[in-house]
């Protein structure tokens, strides 16, 4: 064995080839099957895609680094299921490019946050968390209410998402910017199209409480309110939690 | 720096820098309605600035042909200084974000000062800025000594070192603007990722070209580790960063993978960034500088062979232990756990090999703070790898995951292992690299050592405590079967530990500042008489390969 190695030490190319070979095995065996084995991801026929406004909100969530302190993955442990709700299923993040499962909970898990609090609660909390929770360690995001949402290129975002596998229709892509506006303005003419394209269960509300402007706050609250609500699959009977 | 280059090399440098400037201009125009445009201006400034600098030195006389008989250490010298500068940036921001967790109102309503944007500046600043520059600088040094061959040319090392730092600047400035793809430790966006691939290919080419010129028949063990670092990081980086940009005028991209497949790919990358960036590369450093400083050959060459292949093979399986009890299929979690536990064998083989090398030289460890940095690094390497295998066990992970325990574990590795072996290696070559007889102040090295050690211990103990308490509070039940504590109760309990953590981090940062001062003062010391300047003649490696 060390004789073989004696020769390997004398050949740069041999060493390189061997390193690549040895290092590739583990990843191939663990990752490749995940794309082909059916049981990896459950079926959820009621699963819906994110609306353009929710996509924009998700991007703000990423921009501000929320994933560094909040997980979106409830584990199959009793205390987590009791604290946060049914444990997360693979299908629930199947339209998440990339996933935001997270690795740290400086704040609580957010996988089932949607519709748990009112829009006004979220707006106040994001504007200054300590107005609602005096002990909170979360930064205040006052600029979310000030900054106008950049919505004119959302069609391109949806098209890019379709390119990586999210089933957006041509109509959804063509109307993306309009739908983002409509979802945060229920009284506008654009609001009807949102329900038509994304389903009647879609939240169409004044997320930040004012109708005059489309802000980053509108988008982020719209995203937070849909967390855990893209499909009902997790609330269907599942095997017992450990 | 420019005087080192031949006329032809100066022309090539101008060509490369001009092309870089044009790419920057294209980015600035294409991304004028997007934050991408700002990065375009940074790239343009880097390209143009470099172009002008080279042009001004273009007509300087050709370098002395005798230089080809010596090793080419100018990139290492600059790399060592960049290492220390990034240490101060990365650890400084680390101290600041630690303070933010204790006193969150210090964001002052400024977006780029908020925790979520500063945190990747800290992690990438330390891992890639500090660690990456240390690896590049020392790898050039070790590669030449162990092969007894000069680097193949004088442009490509600069391309790698400066190009890599351009990547780091784009990454860090991007995070401040909110440009991130949110994959931990792989946050830079698509165009930065592509640039890193180009830099990395050149880095690998330098390695292969120098090995091809080597005068030693055997490739010394440190170089295997450096090569595994370069190769596997390339594989990880390319696969994990596959993404589709929104447009060529947009900084934003969407990952090719989603959900569970993305999580597995991300932690396959994330854990092996630990293995091949933060372990293999630094083990390369250890296998050269520790025996050299101790004046003794490595304890067992065979043990280092076993350790090398064990680490290369097993680490790649271990990433899935980051996903215990999640929606990842159970069999993958179990494989990850099993390999993580077995991984202790090759890890301890290296830690033990290092400590056994010191047998018979412990009096030197006692007297020499530089060697003590390296010995302590080996000890922390052993502790951290044990802890890592332990935390990968599902039952332990159910408590430790998502808590500060993970943060403590990471810092035991980053401060205790990575930073200490780096400081030890750095101190041991700074005098010869800058052609000085000795380091400016041995006493300050001693001060740095104790600051680093006490900072690490305070930090790690604070995070162990807070992590375990946090995990236990989350799962404590009342007698009637309800959860005892709300989430916010656990957060309140963390407060004193967060203050202790910031204090520990501050001590460590002060140590880095002391090191920077010491190195600057060393450079400013008068050079010794000319015949002493030949201190750094080609030397035999600390031990003969293939014993």
């Amino acid at each position: 064995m060390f004789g073989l190695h004696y020769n390997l030490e004398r050949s740069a190319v041999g060493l390189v080839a061997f390193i690549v070979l040895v290092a590739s095995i583990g990843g191939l065996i663990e990752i490749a099957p995940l794309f082909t084995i059916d049981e990896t991801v459950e079926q959820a026929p009621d699963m819906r895609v994110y609306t353009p406004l929710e996509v924009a909100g998700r991007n703000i969530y990423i921009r501000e680094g929320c994933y560094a302190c909040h997980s979106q993955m409830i584990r199959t442990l009793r205390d987590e299921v009791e604290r946060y709700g049914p444990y997360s299923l693979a299908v629930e993040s199947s339209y998440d490019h990339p996933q935001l499962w997270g690795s740290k909970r400086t704040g609580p898990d957010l996988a089932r946050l949607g519709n748990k609090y009112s829009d006004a609660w979220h707006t106040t909390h994001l504007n200054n968390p300590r107005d609602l929770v005096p002990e909170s360690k979360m930064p205040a995001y006052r600029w979310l209410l000030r900054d106008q949402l950049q919505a004119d290129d959302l069609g391109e975002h949806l098209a890019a998402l379709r390119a990586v596998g999210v089933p957006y229709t041509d109509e959804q892509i063509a109307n993306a910017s309009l739908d983002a506006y409509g979802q945060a303005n229920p009284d506008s003419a654009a609001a009807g199209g949102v329900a038509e394209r994304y389903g009647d269960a879609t939240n169409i509300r004044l997320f930040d409480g004012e109708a005059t402007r489309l802000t980053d706050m509108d988008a982020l609250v719209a995203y937070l309110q849909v967390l855990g609500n893209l499909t009902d699959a997790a609330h269907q009977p599942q095997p017992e939690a450990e | 720096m420019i005087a080192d280059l031949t006329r032809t090399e100066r022309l090539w440098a101008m060509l490369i820098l001009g092309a870089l400037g044009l790419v920057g201009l294209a980015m600035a125009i294409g991304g004028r309605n997007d934050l991408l445009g700002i990065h375009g201006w940074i790239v343009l400034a880097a390209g143009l600035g470099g172009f002008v600098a080279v042009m001004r030195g273009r007509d300087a006389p050709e370098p002395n042909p005798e230089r080809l008989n010596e090793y080419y250490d100018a990139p290492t010298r600059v790399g060592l200084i960049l290492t220390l500068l990034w240490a101060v940036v990365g650890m400084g921001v680390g101290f600041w974000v630690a303070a933010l967790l204790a006193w969150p109102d210090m964001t002052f309503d400024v977006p780029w000062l908020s925790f979520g944007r500063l945190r990747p500046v800290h992690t990438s600043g330390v891992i890639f800025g500090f660690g990456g520059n240390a690896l590049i600088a020392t790898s050039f040094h070790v590669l030449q000594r162990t092969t007894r061959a000069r680097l193949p040319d004088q442009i490509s090392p600069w391309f790698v070192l400066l190009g890599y730092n351009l990547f780091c600047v784009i990454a860090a400035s991007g995070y401040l603007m909110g440009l991130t793809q949110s994959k931990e430790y792989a946050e830079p966006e698509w165009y930065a990722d592509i640039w890193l691939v180009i830099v990395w290919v050149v880095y690998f080419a330098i390695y292969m070209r120098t090995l091809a010129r080597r005068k030693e028949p055997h490739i010394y063990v440190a170089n295997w580790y450096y090569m595994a670092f370069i190769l596997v990081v390339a594989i990880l980086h390319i696969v994990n960063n596959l993404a589709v940009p929104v447009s060529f005028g947009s900084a934003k991209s969407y990952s090719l993978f989603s959900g569970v497949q993305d999580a597995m790919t991300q932690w396959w990358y994330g854990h092996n960034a630990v293995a091949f960036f933060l372990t293999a590369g630094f083990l390369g450093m250890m296998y050269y500088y520790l025996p050299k400083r101790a004046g003794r050959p490595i304890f067992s060459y065979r043990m280092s062979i076993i350790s090398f292949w064990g680490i290369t093979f097993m680490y790649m399986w271990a990433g899935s232990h980051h996903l215990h009890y999640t929606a990842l299929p159970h069999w993958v979690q179990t494989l990850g756990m099993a390999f993580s536990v077995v991984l202790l064998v090759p890890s301890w083989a290296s830690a033990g090999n290092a400590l056994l090398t010191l047998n018979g030289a412990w009096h030197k460890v006692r007297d020499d703070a530089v060697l003590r940095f390296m010995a302590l690094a080996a000890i922390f390497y052993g502790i951290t790898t044990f802890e890592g295998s332990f935390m990968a066990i599902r039952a332990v992970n159910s408590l430790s995951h998502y808590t500060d325990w993970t943060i403590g574990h990471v810092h035991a590795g980053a401060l205790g292992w990575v930073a200490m072996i780096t400081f030890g290696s750095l101190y041991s070559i700074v005098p010869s690299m800058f052609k000085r007889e000795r380091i400016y102040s041995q006493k300050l090295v001693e001060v740095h050592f104790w600051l680093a050690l006490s900072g690490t211990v305070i930090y790690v103990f604070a995070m162990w405590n807070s992590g375990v308490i946090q995990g236990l509070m989350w799962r404590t039940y009342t007698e009637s079967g309800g959860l005892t504590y709300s989430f916010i109760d656990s957060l309140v309990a963390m407060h004193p530990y967060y203050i202790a953590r910031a204090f520990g981090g501050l001590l460590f940062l002060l140590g880095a500042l002391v090191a920077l001062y010491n190195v600057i003062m060393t450079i400013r010391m008068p050079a010794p008489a000319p015949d002493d300047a030949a201190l750094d003649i080609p030397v035999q490696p600390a031990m003969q390969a293939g014993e």
Side-chain angles (χ1 to χ4, degrees):
Chain A
M1 177 193 163
F2 287 103
L4 173 94
H5 205 270
Y6 183 86
N7 293 326
L8 203 56
E9 283 163 34
R10 298 164 75 96
S11 158
V13 177
L15 200 55
V16 167
F18 226 72
I19 290 173
V20 172
L21 179 78
V22 169
S24 302
I25 299 168
L28 279 176
I29 291 181
E30 288 188 350
I31 298 177
L34 296 182
F35 290 90
T36 51
I37 295 178
D38 287 341
E39 305 100 78
T40 305
V41 182
E42 311 78 358
Q43 298 291 317
D46 63 335
M47 179 84 177
R48 82 154 168 88
V49 293
Y50 291 112
T51 66
L53 188 67
E54 290 154 9
V55 167
R58 191 168 195 274
N59 289 342
I60 291 166
Y61 183 96
I62 289 173
R63 180 186 81 192
E64 302 298 348
C66 306
Y67 58 89
C69 293
H70 294 284
S71 58
Q72 290 188 23
M73 171 49 61
I74 301 166
R75 294 181 293 174
T76 55
L77 298 168
R78 177 181 159 205
D79 60 295
E80 299 211 355
V81 170
E82 283 180 21
R83 176 169 278 124
Y84 299 115
Y87 59 83
S88 302
L89 302 182
V91 66
E92 293 180 90
S93 51
S94 56
Y95 294 150
D96 289 3
H97 293 266
Q99 46 77 30
L100 295 172
W101 291 10
S103 58
K104 176 78 207 308
R105 284 181 188 149
T106 306
D109 188 275
L110 301 184
R112 308 249 168 261
L113 185 69
N115 294 336
K116 196 169 170 185
Y117 302 102
S118 68
D119 295 338
W121 187 94
H122 280 297
T123 306
T124 312
H125 182 251
L126 285 162
N127 199 52
N128 183 18
R130 278 157 293 287
D131 286 350
L132 291 172
V133 187
E135 304 88 352
S136 172
K137 299 225 177 275
M138 194 171 111
Y141 294 96
R142 297 197 180 85
W143 53 89
L144 294 176
L145 265 178
R146 284 199 303 261
D147 293 349
Q148 191 155 357
L149 181 74
Q150 202 203 336
D152 46 352
D153 63 347
L154 279 172
E156 287 180 68
H157 284 256
L158 262 51
L161 280 167
R162 181 161 75 177
V164 292
V166 184
Y168 283 110
T169 63
D170 289 338
E171 204 196 346
Q172 286 170 328
I173 291 172
N175 291 289
S177 301
L178 192 67
D179 285 348
Y181 174 77
Q183 194 182 351
N185 288 281
D187 296 330
S188 69
V194 181
E196 199 181 299
R197 278 183 281 276
Y198 296 92
D200 289 329
T202 310
N203 299 321
I204 301 173
R205 301 196 292 252
L206 288 176
F207 293 101
D208 69 353
E210 57 168 314
T212 46
R213 288 195 320 149
L214 189 61
T215 60
D216 282 1
M217 184 68 87
D218 278 314
L220 184 54
V221 174
Y223 171 65
L224 294 176
Q225 292 290 30
V226 83
L227 287 177
N229 294 332
L230 289 182
T231 167
D232 233 9
H235 295 271
Q236 310 302 321
Q238 296 287 334
E240 274 290 297
E242 283 180 47
Chain B
M1 183 170 156
I2 293 152
D4 285 345
L5 306 179
T6 62
R7 290 263 159 82
T8 331
E9 284 173 331
R10 285 173 210 165
L11 281 179
W12 272 106
M14 282 163 65
L15 207 67
I16 293 167
L17 289 161
L20 182 68
L22 286 179
V23 171
L25 188 66
M27 283 166 69
I29 294 171
R32 65 194 173 282
N33 297 322
D34 192 271
L35 292 170
L36 178 71
I38 296 176
H39 273 157
W41 288 111
I42 293 177
V43 173
L44 178 60
L48 265 186
F51 185 85
V52 170
V54 178
M55 193 150 89
R56 289 178 64 179
R58 191 191 47 169
D59 295 326
E62 287 262 358
N64 182 351
E66 282 197 18
R67 78 192 185 287
L68 295 176
N69 299 329
E70 290 170 18
Y71 297 137
Y72 190 44
D73 289 328
T76 301
R77 281 194 280 275
V78 174
L80 291 175
I81 295 167
L82 286 169
T83 301
L84 282 173
L85 291 178
W86 276 107
V88 171
V89 172
M91 293 169 194
V93 177
F95 165 67
W96 186 255
V97 293
L100 277 176
L101 282 175
W103 304 286
D105 277 323
M106 293 199 299
T107 298
F108 307 119
D109 204 12
V110 180
W112 58 267
L113 271 181
S114 88
F115 180 88
R117 297 200 192 181
L118 287 178
R119 190 254 189 187
V121 177
H122 161 58
T123 51
S124 293
V126 171
I127 299 172
F128 299 113
F130 170 63
N133 273 299
L135 288 169
I136 292 174
T138 58
S139 69
F140 288 161
H141 180 262
V142 171
L143 175 64
Q144 296 181 91
R145 268 71 185 173
T146 51
T147 57
R148 287 196 286 138
R150 187 183 159 88
L151 292 177
D153 69 291
Q154 297 170 121
I155 288 196
S156 56
W158 289 115
F159 181 82
V160 170
L161 182 72
L162 300 178
Y164 180 77
N165 278 279
L166 178 63
F167 164 79
C168 292
V169 167
I170 288 187
S173 60
Y175 304 150
L176 295 177
M177 298 188 284
L179 294 179
T180 165
Q181 55 180 6
S182 83
K183 294 186 159 203
E184 285 182 78
Y185 322 115
E187 285 106 337
E189 272 292 357
W190 60 277
Y191 50 96
D193 291 335
I194 292 173
W195 173 243
L196 186 62
V197 171
I198 297 170
V199 169
W200 220 248
V201 167
V202 178
Y203 189 17
F204 177 63
I206 291 179
Y207 241 85
M208 293 306 278
R209 287 163 68 206
T210 311
L211 286 177
R213 297 151 54 99
R214 72 184 184 277
K215 298 192 190 74
E216 287 279 339
H218 285 271
I219 301 169
Y220 182 64
V221 54
N223 287 320
W224 317 343
Y225 282 96
Y226 279 120
M227 273 179 44
F229 144 67
I230 297 171
L231 280 168
V232 183
V233 165
I235 297 173
L236 297 167
H237 172 76
I238 291 170
V239 174
N240 189 42
N241 284 305
L242 291 172
V244 173
V246 169
S247 74
F248 287 110
S250 170
K252 179 77 190 168
S253 67
Y254 289 99
S255 166
L256 198 57
F257 310 120
S258 72
V260 61
Q261 292 96 348
D262 185 55
M264 183 60 223
T265 312
Q266 158 60 23
W267 290 112
W268 167 77
Y269 165 91
H271 198 74
N272 290 303
V274 173
F276 291 91
F277 206 96
L278 298 170
T279 302
F282 291 89
L283 280 174
M285 222 183 260
M286 186 187 85
Y287 274 114
Y288 181 78
Y289 293 110
L290 185 132
K292 187 97 182 145
R293 186 80 183 183
R296 299 179 56 81
I298 268 286
F299 170 73
S300 163
Y301 192 71
R302 290 186 175 194
M303 219 153 111
S304 56
I305 295 177
I306 292 167
S307 171
F308 175 76
W309 291 110
I311 285 175
T312 306
F313 178 66
M314 289 174 200
Y315 246 113
M316 297 297 267
W317 298 74
S320 55
H321 72 224
H322 287 253
L323 300 166
H324 280 324
Y325 302 99
T326 67
L328 183 76
H330 200 277
W331 63 270
V332 192
Q333 299 178 23
T334 309
L335 272 178
M337 172 172 80
F339 275 92
S340 303
V341 173
V342 186
L343 195 50
L344 190 60
V345 174
S347 302
W348 272 24
S350 268
N353 211 353
L355 292 174
L356 290 168
T357 301
L358 293 172
N359 261 352
W362 286 103
H363 61 286
K364 291 189 187 171
V365 178
R366 186 192 60 201
D367 297 337
D368 179 9
V370 176
L371 190 57
R372 219 180 306 136
F373 263 116
M374 297 192 221
L376 199 69
I379 293 170
F380 266 105
Y381 179 65
I383 295 174
T384 311
T385 47
F386 173 79
E387 186 184 29
S389 295
F390 183 63
M391 289 168 79
I393 298 168
R394 294 185 97 219
V396 181
N397 193 272
S398 75
L399 179 78
S400 74
H401 193 57
Y402 292 137
T403 74
D404 288 321
W405 189 352
T406 310
I407 316 294
H409 168 63
V410 169
H411 283 80
L415 305 177
W417 156 240
V418 170
M420 297 239 189
I421 193 74
T422 301
F423 287 133
S425 308
L426 193 137
Y427 280 127
S428 69
I429 59 171
V430 156
S432 67
M433 283 292 96
F434 292 96
K435 303 214 174 6
R436 298 291 179 268
E437 276 176 274
R438 55 177 180 86
I439 198 90
Y440 167 72
S441 164
Q442 192 62 37
K443 198 165 255 172
L444 283 178
V445 180
E446 197 71 44
V447 169
H448 180 194
F449 175 83
W450 290 109
L451 279 172
L453 177 58
S454 49
T456 307
V457 169
I458 292 172
Y459 190 111
V460 171
F461 271 94
M463 290 295 95
W464 275 339
N465 268 300
S466 74
V468 173
I469 293 173
Q470 209 175 8
L472 289 175
M473 283 179 89
W474 291 347
R475 57 161 66 172
T476 303
Y477 283 87
T478 58
E479 277 176 30
S480 53
L483 292 164
T484 310
Y485 301 104
S486 71
F487 189 89
I488 205 77
D489 289 336
S490 72
L491 189 69
V492 171
M494 299 304 98
H495 188 69
Y497 299 108
Y498 284 179
I499 295 172
R501 182 229 320 246
F503 179 66
L506 179 65
L507 292 184
F508 206 89
L509 168 67
L510 288 176
L513 285 166
V514 169
L516 181 63
Y517 174 77
N518 207 353
V519 168
I520 291 173
M521 293 310 282
T522 306
I523 298 169
R524 292 182 59 180
M525 273 175 12
D531 59 321
D532 289 349
L535 276 175
D536 196 36
I537 46 169
V539 284
Q540 296 289 329
M543 60 132 333
Q544 283 299 312
E547 66 167 2

